[in-house]
Amino acid sequence: MFFTYLRRELRRRRKAALVVASGLALGIALVIIVSSVSSGMSKAQDKVLESLYGLGTDMTVTKAAAAQGSGTQRPRFEFDAKDDDEADQSTDRVMVQGFQTLASSTVGKVGGQDGVADAVGGLSLTVMKVDGQFKRGEFKQDESAVQGGPGGENGQPRGEVQGGGASFDVNSFTVYGTDVTQQDLGPLTSSKITKGRTFKAAETDAKVAVVDSAYAKEKELAVGKTVTISGTAYSVIGVSTADSGDAAANVYIPLKQAQTVADSKDKVTTVYVKAADSQQIDTVKAAIQKNISGTTVTTSADLADTVSGSLSTASDLASSVGKWLSVAVLVAAFLVAGLLTSSAVSRRVREFGTLKALGWKSGRVTRQVVGEALVNGLMGGVLGIAVGLAGAYVVTAISPTLTAQLGSSGGGGGGMGGGGPMGGGGPGRQTASKTLDIALTAPVSLTTILVAVVLAVAGGLIAGAFGGWRASRLRPADALRRVA
C-alpha cells in the first residue's frame, strides 16, 4: 500500500517533484565540481613540488648559503698560452649550487632521527663552461707619414694594429650528483628513463651520466655519446624525461663523481628525507632542527607556501570562495526543498484529512510524506551526480593551463632540493624562481560520489521533516471544512 500510494502521488505531482529534485541536484552538482577541481588543484600542486625534489620526499635538510661578502669568490677562468694563436681555448668551472655543503655524515645523522624512514644525500652543481679563441691582430704600417727618417720615429714603423681580438661563448648547465645505491628518493625520481637505462648500484664511482631529454636535444646528446665536465668525459647511459615541468638538473652523475669534479669530497648540499608517518612531519622537522645544529629543514608544506601564480590564485578561490559557495547553494537547496514540500502538504489538506478520517494515523501520514521527499532527494542526487560528473569531465577535457611560480626564498630556508632542482645560481645565491605550466584536471573520487549520495538522502530527509511535521498537525476536521 505504501509504495503503491507513493508511486501514484509522485506520478501525479511530477512538476513539483522535478522542481524539488532539480534544486537539490544543483547544490549536489556544485559540490562535486568544486570538490573535483580542488582535488585537481592539490594534485597539480603536488606535481609542482615533485618536479623539484622527487617522489616520496617529505622534507629536505640544507645549510643556508653564506651571506654575500663573507668570503665567497667570483669564478675565475684561466687559459693556457699556445703557439697557435688561433687555437681553440676551453675551460670550465664547477661550482656548488645554492647552499653551503654539509658533511656526508649528516645523511646518517638525519636518517637516525625518530620518525625518519629514509634519508639520502645529493650534491647540486653548476658548470660554467667558456670556450672560444684569441686572434692576433695585424699591424698595418702607415708609409705616407714618416717621422725621424724612413723607419719612422725612433726608427720604429708608424701604423696601427687592425683586426684580432677574442671571441668566447659562455655556456652553463646544472649537474646533480645522485646516490646510485638509493634511487628511490631524490630529484631523479621525478623523471622517467625514456631511453637507455638508469644507474646501477655498483656504479658509485663510474664515469657515466643520465641526461635530461630537453638538454640532450639541445646539445645533440644520445645514449653512447659523452658529456664533458671539468675535463672528464662521462658516457651517456640514459635519457630521462621530467614527469612535469622542467627537470631537476641537466645532467645526473654518481654522487662520488660529483664530489670529485667539484672538489667537495664527502660533501652534499641536500639531504632528502622521507618520514615514516606523514602525520608526524612537523615532529620530525623539529627533532632534526634540535639535534642537528646549523641546518635548515624545509617541508613540502613550507615550499607550497611559496607557490604563486594562477595555480595559487585558483587554488585559493576553489578552497575558499568555491567551498563557501557550494555550502550556501546546498543550504539554500535544502531550505527550498523543505519549503516546497511543506507547501505541497498544505495543498493536500483535504487528502491527508480524509486519510486520517479513514483511520490513517499521524505517523503513517508522516512516513508517506517523508518517503515522497526521500525519493525526490534520491532523484536529485542522481541528477546532481550526472551533472557534476559532466562538469568535471568538461574541466578535464579542456585542461586549462595554470602557471605555478616558486619564488626565491629568503633567509636561511631556501627551497626544497638545495637549489639544484630550482635551477638557481652559483655560490652564495638563494634558490632562484622557477615557473611551471600545469594542466588542470578534475578527478572525481569514490568518496565524492558517496558524499553526494549522503547529501541527496539528507536533502530528502530534511524536506520530509518539513512536510511530515506539517502533515502530522492536520486534523480530519480540516478536510471537512475544505469540503464544505
Side-chain angles (χ1 to χ4, degrees), residues 153-184:
E153 186 176 1
N154 299 323
Q156 298 296 325
R158 183 178 180 183
E160 61 181 3
V161 177
Q162 296 181 350
S167 176
F168 285 85
D169 291 328
V170 180
N171 176 40
S172 65
F173 58 95
T174 55
V175 176
Y176 176 72
T178 183
D179 188 340
V180 298
T181 63
Q182 294 179 276
Q183 297 187 54
D184 294 334

Side-chain angles (χ1 to χ4, degrees), residues 240-261:
S240 63
T241 302
D243 291 337
S244 64
D246 297 330
N250 299 131
V251 180
Y252 303 87
I253 61 176
L255 175 58
K256 194 170 183 179
Q257 278 293 316
Q259 293 169 337
T260 300
V261 297

Side-chain angles (χ1 to χ4, degrees), residues 284-333:
V284 176
K285 174 182 177 179
I288 295 174
Q289 289 179 323
K290 177 182 178 181
N291 299 328
I292 305 176
S293 60
T295 60
T296 299
V297 182
T298 307
T299 67
S300 55
D302 296 331
L303 187 59
D305 291 338
T306 70
V307 177
S308 60
S310 59
L311 173 59
S312 177
T313 302
S315 180
D316 291 341
L317 288 174
S319 61
S320 56
V321 178
K323 288 183 179 180
W324 281 112
L325 179 62
S326 298
V327 171
V329 171
L330 198 59
V331 170

Side-chain angles (χ1 to χ4, degrees), residues 98-132:
F99 296 91
Q100 295 187 68
T101 56
L102 294 164
S104 295
S105 59
T106 306
V107 180
K109 293 179 181 178
V110 172
Q113 300 299 308
D114 292 337
V116 174
D118 198 7
V120 63
L123 184 64
S124 297
L125 306 174
T126 295
V127 179
M128 187 171 291
K129 188 177 185 65
V130 180
D131 54 5

